[in-house]
Amino acid sequence: MFFTRLIYLLLFLAPQVLIYLYLRERLPDPTRPPQAHRVRVALTAVFIVFNLPWLVVGQRVLFGGSMWGVGRIPFTGPWIAWQLLGWIYCALVTVYLLIKGVVWGSGELGAVLSRARKGTAPREGPLPASRSLSRRRFLARATYAYAAAGTALSTFGIWSAYRLPQVTRRSLVFPDLPSGLDGLKLLHLSDLHAGMHLGEDAMQEIVVQVNALRPDLIVQTGDMIDISRSYIPPYVRAFRELSAPLGVVTVLGNHDRYTGEREVIQGCRDAGQVFVQNGCHVIERNGATLGLLGIDDPHNWTADDPQQADVDAALRAAPPDAFHVLLAHRPGAWDTAAPRGIPLTLAGHIHGGQFYLPLIGWSPGSLITKYVMGHFQRGTSQLYVSRGIGVVGVPIRVFAPPEIELFELRRG
C-alpha cells in the first residue's frame, strides 16, 4: 500500500518537476550568464514556494492520514490552481512538441525528397543563433503570460468563492399547478458548508440577503455543515433569523452525515427548521396542498443514484392530490422522480464543479453526474441543480459562482 501511494504521489508531482527542469533549461539566455543565473534562482524559489503544501499532503498520503484537512491549509486555493496549471502547461508543451515534431519531420522529408530529385547534398551547420534566441524569447514571454493568467484566474476564483451568492430568479411553469400555489415564491439554498471557509459573519450576511428577497417558502437541500460539529452552534445562531411565512424545510446532505446526523438535525430544528427524512411535509396555501418530499442522502458513492426506495417512501407519506416538490441532495434522484410524475425536483451537491469552462461547457462535475448545474426538463417534470453557496476542500470557484435561487411557481 505504501509503494502504491508513493507511485500516485510521484505521478502527481511529475508535472511540476518536468516543468521546472524544462524551464530551467530553456528559459535562461546562455549568452548572458549573470541574467541566466538570476532566472534559475527565481525559478527555483517560485517552484519551492508553490509546492510547499506537498510536505503536508505527501505525509498524509504516504502514512495514511486524513485528506479532509488539506482544504484547511492556508492558500490551498492558489496551490491547487498551480497544480492544475502544471498539468495544463505540460499538456500544452507536449502538444507543441508533437506539432513541432510533425512539422519538422514533414519539412525534413520534403527536403530529402527535393534533394533526391535535384541530386544535391544536404546543408550542414548549426541553427542560426538569432533563431535560437527568438525561440527562447518566445518561450519566456509565453511562460510569463501563462503564469500571469494563472495568477489572475486563481485570484478571481478565490474572490468568487468568498463573495455573497448570486441570486438566480426564474419562473417555473407547470400545467397542473393548483391555482392556490400560483405565484408562490420558493427560495432554494444548498451546500452552505458552514465551516472554516464560511464563518458566522458570512452566514449572517446570507440570512440578511435571503430575508430581503421575501420568499413565501425556503428549502435547503443538504450540506449545511462542513465536517466539524463545532460549526453547528454558529449555524444555529445565524440561521434562526431565517424566516418565511410558510417556514424553512431542510433535508440531509452527505457532509451532514460526516459531521453527525443527529447533531446536524437537532441544530436545524434548534434554528426553527422542519427536517424531513424520507417523508413529506405538507403545506396548505389558498386551498391548495403542497407536498414537500424530502429524502436522505444515500449512504454510498454511486454516481447519479436514483434512490428509488427513498423517493417511493416519501411518496407513500404524501397526500396523493398534493402538488409534489422533491428535495434531494443529489440530483440523480430525478431519474426516479420524473417517471413517477413529480413535477419539480431541487438538488445540489456538485457545486457546479467549482470550475467551469464556458467556451466548451465543461466542468469537473461532469465526471460525477450528468446534472452538474442549472435547469433540466423531461416531459412535464423539471429539475434544478444549485451551484450551492460554500466550497469543498478548495476555496476556489472559477466561472461557477455561489448561488441561491428564487423560483416563482406559475400555472400555464
Side-chain angles (χ1 to χ4, degrees), residues 58 65 88 111 126 157 186 214 233 254 259 264-265 270 279 289 308 316 381-382 397:
I88 295 170
L186 170 64
R214 303 178 66 84
N254 57 309
T259 303
V264 171
I265 292 171
D270 290 344
T289 303
Q308 294 181 6
R316 286 194 296 270
S381 182
Q382 301 181 48
R397 280 179 174 268

Side-chain angles (χ1 to χ4, degrees), residues 9 12 51-67 69-71 73 76 79-80:
L9 183 64
F12 277 102
N51 286 287
L52 280 176
W54 278 114
L55 296 175
V56 178
V57 174
Q59 185 270 334
R60 295 188 181 191
V61 169
L62 293 177
F63 302 105
S66 171
M67 294 300 293
V70 170
I73 300 172
T76 306
W79 178 68
I80 294 294

Side-chain angles (χ1 to χ4, degrees), residues 164-408:
L164 276 175
Q166 291 182 352
V167 179
T168 298
R169 300 171 186 265
R170 190 181 187 108
S171 293
L172 301 177
V173 180
F174 304 92
D176 56 350
L177 182 72
S179 58
L181 299 179
D182 191 21
L184 176 74
K185 292 183 178 179
L186 170 64
L187 189 135
H188 178 210
L189 301 172
S190 192
D191 298 272
L192 182 75
H193 288 279
M196 180 177 182
H197 301 304
L198 199 146
E200 187 171 350
D201 290 345
M203 285 188 271
Q204 290 172 346
E205 290 182 32
I206 291 167
V207 168
V208 170
Q209 181 187 25
V210 170
N211 288 342
L213 296 171
R214 303 178 66 84
D216 298 309
L217 172 65
I218 298 171
V219 297
Q220 285 189 114
T221 52
D223 277 5
M224 284 68 69
I225 312 297
D226 193 26
I227 306 303
S228 174
R229 297 173 189 176
S230 64
Y231 301 124
I232 297 176
Y235 171 84
V236 174
R237 288 192 296 269
F239 272 71
R240 64 161 53 108
E241 302 301 321
L242 199 65
S243 64
L246 300 178
V248 182
V249 182
T250 303
V251 297
L252 204 66
N254 57 309
H255 280 253
D256 303 316
R257 286 196 290 102
Y258 306 152
T259 303
E261 284 188 34
R262 288 185 301 175
E263 290 81 2
V264 171
I265 292 171
Q266 186 58 54
C268 290
R269 287 174 174 158
D270 290 344
Q273 302 168 16
V274 175
F275 211 95
V276 185
Q277 290 185 279
N278 295 342
C280 178
H281 176 65
V282 177
I283 293 174
E284 300 289 339
R285 181 180 188 265
N286 299 332
T289 303
L290 174 64
L292 294 176
L293 311 173
I295 60 174
D296 277 353
D297 187 76
H299 291 236
N300 60 52
W301 290 93
T302 304
D304 285 338
D305 187 336
Q307 296 185 250
Q308 294 181 6
D310 296 337
V311 174
D312 288 342
L315 279 171
R316 286 194 296 270
D321 59 341
F323 182 83
H324 296 146
V325 175
L326 176 63
L327 308 179
H329 183 58
R330 303 195 200 187
W334 190 48
D335 290 336
T336 295
R340 283 159 175 72
I342 297 174
L344 176 61
T345 299
L346 300 177
H349 184 53
I350 310 299
H351 303 190
Q354 293 185 206
F355 184 89
Y356 179 67
L357 296 175
L359 293 179
I360 61 175
W362 183 85
S363 163
S366 61
L367 303 174
I368 302 172
T369 176
K370 53 185 177 288
Y371 310 121
V372 177
M373 58 182 164
H375 182 260
F376 302 84
Q377 184 154 359
R378 187 182 302 159
T380 59
S381 182
Q382 301 181 48
L383 164 70
Y384 196 91
V385 183
S386 174
R387 294 192 300 268
I389 297 171
V391 294
V392 168
V394 185
I396 191 168
R397 280 179 174 268
V398 178
F399 303 123
E403 174 190 39
I404 58 178
E405 306 87 55
L406 183 62
F407 301 117
E408 185 176 18

